Amino acid sequence: MARTESYSGNTNLKWIVLGVSILISIGSIYYTDVLVDELKQRERQQVELFAKALEYTLNEQSNDNILFVTDEIIFKNNSIPTIWITKDGDYQHRNIDIKDDWPPARKKKVLEESLQEMRARYEPIQMTYRNENGEVENYGYVYYKNSFLLTQLIYYPFIQLSVIAVFAFISYLAFNYSKVAEQNQVWVGLAKETAHQLGTPLSSLMAWAEVLRDDPNLKNKEIVDELEKDIRKLTIVTERFSSIGSVPALKPENVVALVNNVVHYLRPRVSSKIKIEVFSLSENIQANVHAPLFEWVLENLCKNAVDAIGATGTIAIKILRGSESKVYIDVSDTGKGIARSKIPMVFKPGFTTKKRGWGLGLALAKRIIENYHKGRIFVKSSEENQGTTFRIALNTAPL
Ligand SMILES: Nc1ncnc2c1ncn2[C@@H]1O[C@H](COP(=O)(O)OP(=O)(O)OP(=O)(O)O)[C@@H](O)[C@H]1O
Ligand SMILES: [Mg+2]
């Protein structure tokens, strides 16, 4: 079980990284939100002071005071966009991007748009105009919206997080790409090396078998027959390893015959309580395959089926012509099934629930079908304690 644990450890780490990133994001958005609120309050106070100052200048007769107020307060507001309407209905503004040399119509349009935006956002601040006797004469209103600084601060965390997310995504892709490239190298290198190493003893075994067969002193010729069978199997294994180490050429083959080959090979090696059945509507269904590798996939699926069944049960292999130039091979068993949550993991290298499993059978099958045959392999259905069906989809041979 150690392998399964290390496998799930890997996924746990992913969740931890994801969780921490989400926490950091929420934290940073929350913190900026607090800052934004504070700044909003300050801007409101600033505009209130500004309105007070305006009101003062409009009601004050003494010029000295007015000069101080205008210089120190009104012109100090150089960040918050503000529009106020005087008692005569004039529009005045500060910090709104309007150039002096614009035609009046354009100025008016920009002013009105800004005013609308301000109205939607904040309550205006009221100014009271009084006559010489101090009686209320009229009201004016100061409208404002967030300063550029505040607007930037509001959007800043989102921009920052998106930049980080894009960056993280690109690094993830790059990392994954290099991981896949590395895995490919390991698969290919190991397979080639194995084929290479098996080659030499295999050719000498063949030669020894020849020698034995010709030996007049050997009574029991059956030994040589059995030996040759094993040599043939070893040759196939070597061929498989050497084909996975290179880019295998696909040819039109009769899939029904290939399936029967595998069943023929497996039948004497599997308990007689496990039935293996082959169904197909035609004796000849052609698909574009590399025979040794395709047989390897079938063998892996059947071995898994045998393991899942345990004592008694049936393995059914159906070969069907699908639509859109596809051929389907469904391998069903009456075994223990796969838990729903485990289905997405079965093709991952290293995933196994068996004491002596390596979790490589299905990873290899997927690689062979998807990379080399441009087909698809997937769990078509699985019910716990009922059985499982794996489907291989291959491309039909070009006519
Ligand atoms: N037909 C099936 N029924 C139930 N579970 C299956 C079936 N086929 C695969 N599995 C599950 O998927 C896991 C991975 O299968 P895979 O063939 O990749 O590895 P393995 O059989 O455990 O080991 P290996 O094939 O490397 O010896 C299995 O351990 C098993 O839990
Ligand atoms: Mg297996």
Side-chain angles (χ1 to χ4, degrees):
M1 290 310 268
R3 278 183 291 275
T4 326
E5 271 159 27
S6 79
Y7 181 81
S8 67
N10 198 357
T11 26
N12 277 349
L13 186 67
K14 256 189 226 166
W15 288 116
I16 291 172
V17 169
L18 190 71
V20 169
S21 328
I22 290 175
L23 277 184
I24 290 176
S25 311
I26 292 176
S28 104
I29 290 175
Y30 175 76
Y31 181 64
T32 351
D33 208 48
V34 169
L35 287 184
V36 163
D37 269 351
E38 190 145 309
L39 203 58
K40 264 187 195 166
Q41 258 175 31
R42 264 194 219 183
E43 292 200 344
R44 174 92 191 171
Q45 282 166 0
Q46 224 176 318
V47 178
E48 274 167 359
L49 181 65
F50 178 81
K52 266 269 166 303
L54 272 182
E55 193 183 274
Y56 183 76
T57 54
L58 292 167
N59 291 323
E60 179 65 42
Q61 267 71 36
S62 144
N63 262 341
D64 290 349
N65 285 346
I66 291 177
L67 219 63
F68 167 76
V69 170
T70 44
D71 279 1
E72 289 302 308
I73 301 175
I74 298 179
F75 289 115
K76 273 279 160 69
N77 170 18
N78 48 20
S79 61
I80 308 170
T82 328
I83 297 176
W84 66 98
I85 305 169
T86 63
K87 58 181 172 187
D88 313 317
D90 264 355
Y91 284 42
Q92 304 277 349
H93 60 87
R94 268 194 77 72
N95 307 321
I96 289 183
D97 200 13
I98 289 177
K99 300 272 178 302
D100 283 340
D101 54 354
W102 283 2
R106 184 169 173 195
K107 284 185 186 172
K108 191 163 177 257
K109 187 166 169 279
V110 173
L111 258 187
E112 266 165 10
E113 278 168 6
S114 307
L115 190 62
Q116 233 164 31
E117 203 185 316
M118 292 173 177
R119 273 205 179 106
R121 194 173 284 264
Y122 295 118
E123 279 286 295
I125 293 160
Q126 188 178 281
M127 300 183 290
T128 317
Y129 297 121
R130 297 170 194 277
N131 60 17
E132 287 109 85
N133 308 325
E135 292 156 352
V136 176
E137 202 178 49
N138 209 338
Y139 293 106
Y141 292 94
V142 180
Y143 295 88
Y144 73 103
K145 61 181 178 185
N146 296 337
S147 66
F148 183 56
L149 180 72
L150 182 54
T151 314
Q152 269 180 317
L153 191 62
I154 291 172
Y155 293 115
Y156 175 71
F158 297 101
I159 294 169
Q160 184 193 34
L161 290 175
S162 332
V163 169
I164 292 174
V166 167
F167 178 73
F169 184 65
I170 291 174
S171 350
Y172 174 77
L173 284 187
F175 173 74
N176 237 18
Y177 177 78
S178 68
K179 206 173 83 177
V180 168
E182 202 174 301
Q183 276 177 353
N184 279 349
Q185 246 175 355
V186 174
W187 274 104
V188 167
L190 212 59
K192 269 191 179 157
E193 180 61 17
T194 309
H196 183 73
Q197 298 231 2
L198 280 174
T200 327
L202 197 58
S203 16
S204 65
L205 266 180
M206 282 176 193
W208 285 119
E210 268 324 289
V211 172
L212 265 183
R213 190 175 282 289
D214 295 343
D215 187 349
N217 297 329
L218 186 76
K219 304 267 165 353
N220 199 347
K221 289 288 179 198
E222 257 177 42
I223 293 180
V224 185
D225 291 341
E226 288 305 311
L227 200 64
E228 278 181 342
K229 264 191 211 160
D230 284 334
I231 290 176
R232 232 170 291 137
K233 178 64 189 176
L234 268 179
T235 315
I236 292 173
V237 170
T238 312
E239 201 181 334
R240 287 172 180 176
F241 276 108
S242 97
S243 347
I244 208 159
S246 55
V247 180
L250 307 181
K251 351 187 258 246
E253 299 266 6
N254 179 8
V255 181
V256 184
L258 296 180
V259 169
N260 281 323
N261 278 352
V262 172
V263 173
H264 184 76
Y265 168 74
L266 285 174
R267 203 163 259 152
R269 289 169 176 77
V270 169
S271 140
S272 57
K273 287 183 186 148
I274 296 179
K275 281 200 279 178
I276 309 179
E277 297 166 345
V278 179
F279 301 96
S280 73
L281 286 179
S282 154
E283 277 306 301
N284 187 355
I285 297 179
Q286 299 266 321
N288 232 0
V289 295
H290 182 268
L293 289 183
F294 176 69
E295 286 178 358
W296 197 0
V297 171
L298 275 180
E299 229 177 85
N300 277 328
L301 291 184
C302 291
K303 280 184 187 158
N304 281 348
V306 168
D307 291 342
I309 288 170
T312 16
T314 309
I315 301 173
I317 307 174
K318 294 195 188 92
I319 304 126
L320 341 144
R321 273 204 191 90
S323 55
E324 294 166 35
S325 59
K326 293 279 182 234
V327 170
Y328 299 129
I329 298 99
D330 287 356
V331 180
S332 309
D333 62 64
T334 56
K336 63 180 163 64
I338 308 170
R340 189 165 289 269
S341 61
K342 296 286 186 289
I343 291 181
M345 299 203 263
V346 292
F347 289 103
K348 302 235 156 109
F351 176 79
T352 181
T353 54
K354 298 172 192 168
K355 266 215 183 89
R356 288 173 191 283
W358 285 104
L360 284 182
L362 287 178
L364 186 74
K366 191 176 176 73
R367 198 182 163 77
I368 291 174
I369 297 298
E370 297 189 350
N371 290 18
Y372 296 156
H373 288 84
K374 303 292 170 229
R376 251 160 56 71
I377 178 167
F378 54 96
V379 177
K380 187 169 168 248
S381 63
S382 187
E383 279 300 323
E384 276 185 272
N385 301 319
Q386 305 272 327
T388 307
T389 300
F390 277 88
R391 169 166 279 191
I392 303 172
L394 293 174
N395 302 307
T396 48
L399 294 173

